[in-house]
Amino acid sequence: MYIIDDVCYAGEAVSDIKVKEATVLRGSMLLITFSTGEQRLFDATLLTGSAFEPLKDEKTLADFTIFHGVMTWMNGEVDIAPETMYADSYPYTSRNVGVAVG
């Protein structure tokens, strides 16, 4: 168990984690493959703050680049730390992806 920003997470903290691949699903969900080999779902609608406003547009969200293990948008103007994406995502299962894709 570990704590980040007063939130308790199960398992062990993963350091030096990177995004290897990502796919945008419907509803602004991202299916992310991390350097650990895990696939996890990240809900981009939960991003707050003016920096993330452009990502509400599905075309902008889908136009990402992975640069040194970090997802970036708009030529690097917007990015999200892979550690944050990992901590705020949940494990991929065929059941929860079916909801996002179907």
Side-chain angles (χ1 to χ4, degrees):
M1 179 177 4
Y2 61 101
I3 298 172
I4 298 176
D5 296 328
D6 296 325
V7 177
C8 183
Y9 296 92
E12 297 298 319
V14 179
S15 60
D16 298 326
I17 195 162
K18 297 183 184 309
V19 172
K20 295 300 227 175
E21 295 178 22
T23 303
V24 178
L25 306 175
R26 84 178 161 117
S28 297
M29 296 294 291
L30 302 172
L31 176 59
I32 303 170
T33 303
F34 290 95
S35 55
T36 60
E38 293 175 83
Q39 287 190 309
R40 297 175 65 87
L41 290 170
F42 179 83
D43 185 352
T45 65
L46 300 178
L47 295 169
T48 59
S50 60
F52 299 114
E53 282 297 312
L55 301 185
K56 290 183 178 178
D57 176 54
E58 289 187 19
K59 287 184 181 182
T60 302
L61 182 65
D63 188 21
F64 65 87
T65 302
I66 299 173
F67 183 72
H68 295 289
V70 178
M71 286 189 76
T72 68
W73 293 265
M74 302 168 51
N75 294 318
E77 290 182 38
V78 177
D79 64 47
I80 305 171
E83 299 85 2
T84 298
M85 296 184 93
Y86 185 88
D88 292 346
S89 63
Y90 49 95
Y92 160 87
T93 66
S94 58
R95 180 175 172 215
N96 53 24
V97 168
V99 171
V101 175

